[in-house]
Amino acid sequence: MNVLEVKEIHKSFGSKKVLDGVSFSVPENCVFGFIGRNGAGKTTTMRAVLGLLETDGGEIDVCGQRVSYGNTPTNGCIGYLPDVPEFYGYMNAREYLALCGRITGMDRGDVKKRSSELLELVGLDKESHRIKGYSRGMKQRLGIAQALINRPKLLILDEPTSALDPVGRKEILDIISAAKEQTSVIFSTHILSDVERICSRVAFLEGGKTAFEGGIDEIRAMKGDTALELSLAMSSDTDKLKAAFPAAELREGKLIFPKASDSDCSELMAFLAAQNIPITRLERHESDLEDIFMEVIGK
Amino acid sequence: MKGFVAFFEKEVRELVRTKRLMILLAVFVIVGIMNPAVAKLTPKLFELMADELSEQGIVLGEVKVTALDSWTQFVKNMPMALIVMLIMFGGIYTSEYTKGTLIPLLTKGLSRGSVVLSKLAAMLLTWSAGLWLCYGITYFYSDWYWDNSAVNRLGFACFCWWLFGVLMICCIVFFSSFAGSGAQVLLGCGAVYFAMTMAGLYSRAKEYLPTRLCDSAPLYKGELVPSDYTAAAVITAAISAVLVLAALPLTHRRQV
Ligand SMILES: Nc1ncnc2c1ncn2[C@@H]1O[C@H](COP(=O)(O)OP(=O)(O)OP(=O)(O)O)[C@@H](O)[C@H]1O
Ligand SMILES: [Mg+2]
């Protein structure tokens, strides 16, 4: 069963059409990457899923239940980290988590245990000061802890790593990966390497529509044309290779073999070995998410 | 219900930690002490000014102060305390909506109704504690210096004030369900008060208006009895209930 089902949602702000038929679905135990340019409507879509925003049309189902604006019981199975989380400055992290836990109906003992667990997980366990003095990164960490408190079935994270230092980013990505065991995660980001690292599905949002949605391996398959880059030790060998492999192109002193499959690769290596041609470098260049992103948004 | 309790606790903690509760209770205590003190000091003040006044040809007779003067001060000063409280609570909802602090909680399944009602409960609790504290202090000193038995219906008059305050608090709840800022909420409350005062110019309507509840002097003097206030009290309670009931669906529709 899909934890989240978004069907053809539309939303305009005044005359500005932001969402124009966005559809995607998030299966269970999946990390779902949500990608799009600034202002593409990622935050808007997430707010609609949470019932914080009234859509102009379309359907959203969370855990098989229809989402309605305003009064939103489906939120009970969602954990959400807003893009810029705001907390009560006069509380400390532990008190805040206790408040969150009790709202979701956990009993005091359970809340206490879970808070300690989560604070350690996000690295705030030694922090006894009030939230008022927190840095942005610390707020983001607390935001992730509060989103996880009630072991939600769906975790919605809006740019969870945007304010974090490199170590923190890795830690949080590990937390998200680990959370996959119990929940589905949907997160928006601009850092495509993060997506490649932990996501099993992605959706690109462009022009108010989902321009692409699919598994990360589908993307890899779609762009299976890995290119080979060969640098020769002696440029005099170039002609020999060009004669044997007509597809090869010479670019900036390197021989490029576009759309080379695995067998093409071994064939090339066998040829090099047989002819005893010395090389300095042979590289397989995989097209990454960035290339695909550029292609999808038509740049 | 769990959400209501948890959020109510958060409200109380907020009032305590942001020192708002302390400041408000201090205001009520000060007013409570001021009422008898001003009454007590008035004749002394006149004595001091007597020479100056007699030069101008005004001769004062002996000013006799009773408990009634102290309670007259109570009626005079209570609006000030109420206004201070309303100003403090004006942004209690809207600041949370604009800052976005409710979002993590609403997205955990906290119902908007719980938010509305637990903040209302916290305000009512503060108002009740403050008002009756003020009443208690004035009562004690007035009885100490003079004799409260000379004044009628003290408890009922204070209850009327309480009910009027409840109405103003419910106005905050109502206006907060669509207003954008605390200032707009206060403006709404002010408009309601102004409208009631204008309507009070028609002497026929006077008896039914909530503002009647603030008119304690005739009760103290025994010119009116509690049953003369019944209509105003019932109407005030009804308006308060309607305001809160209207605020609930409006808050559900509200963009947070
Ligand atoms: N309350 C609002 N009123 C008017 N316009 C809005 C509102 N909220 C969002 N928008 C518009 O909707 C568009 C999408 O905004 P959104 O915040 O969803 O983008 P995003 O994909 O999250 O961008 P980013 O990557 O910068 O976070 C923007 O052009 C923004 O101007
Ligand atoms: Mg955003």
Side-chain angles (χ1 to χ4, degrees), chain A residues 185-255:
Chain A
V185 186
I186 163 166
F187 79 106
S188 74
T189 183
H190 295 292
I191 304 163
L192 296 170
S193 59
D194 289 359
V195 174
E196 276 180 290
R197 195 141 109 202
I198 61 169
C199 287
S200 45
R201 278 181 86 76
V202 293
F204 292 108
L205 206 59
E206 176 64 24
K209 290 189 170 62
T210 23
F212 174 85
E213 189 209 347
I216 200 100
D217 9 298
E218 265 175 72
I219 287 195
R220 298 231 167 88
M222 190 172 96
K223 297 289 277 186
D225 52 340
T226 50
L228 284 172
E229 277 181 28
L230 177 66
S231 308
L232 295 168
M234 287 175 290
S235 48
S236 52
D237 292 328
T238 309
D239 293 339
K240 218 190 272 182
L241 275 157
K242 276 198 114 170
F245 299 92
E249 298 163 28
L250 191 62
R251 241 185 269 159
E252 293 158 21
K254 280 188 242 168
L255 272 171

Side-chain angles (χ1 to χ4, degrees), chain B residues 9-46:
Chain B
E9 280 180 23
K10 172 250 152 193
E11 278 306 313
V12 173
R13 178 179 278 159
E14 179 169 320
L15 285 176
V16 172
R17 294 234 174 130
T18 56
K19 309 240 168 17
R20 269 194 274 179
L21 189 67
M22 213 181 71
I23 294 169
L24 271 177
L25 290 184
V27 167
F28 281 108
V29 167
I30 289 168
V31 169
I33 295 173
M34 230 168 65
N35 298 331
V38 169
K40 186 82 187 153
L41 292 176
T42 313
K44 299 237 159 69
L45 219 63
F46 280 149

Side-chain angles (χ1 to χ4, degrees), chain A residues 38-39 41-44 46 83 158-159 188 190:
Chain A
N38 288 130
K42 302 182 292 295
T43 303
T44 308
M46 289 180 169
D83 46 356
D158 201 347
E159 298 185 31
S188 74
H190 295 292

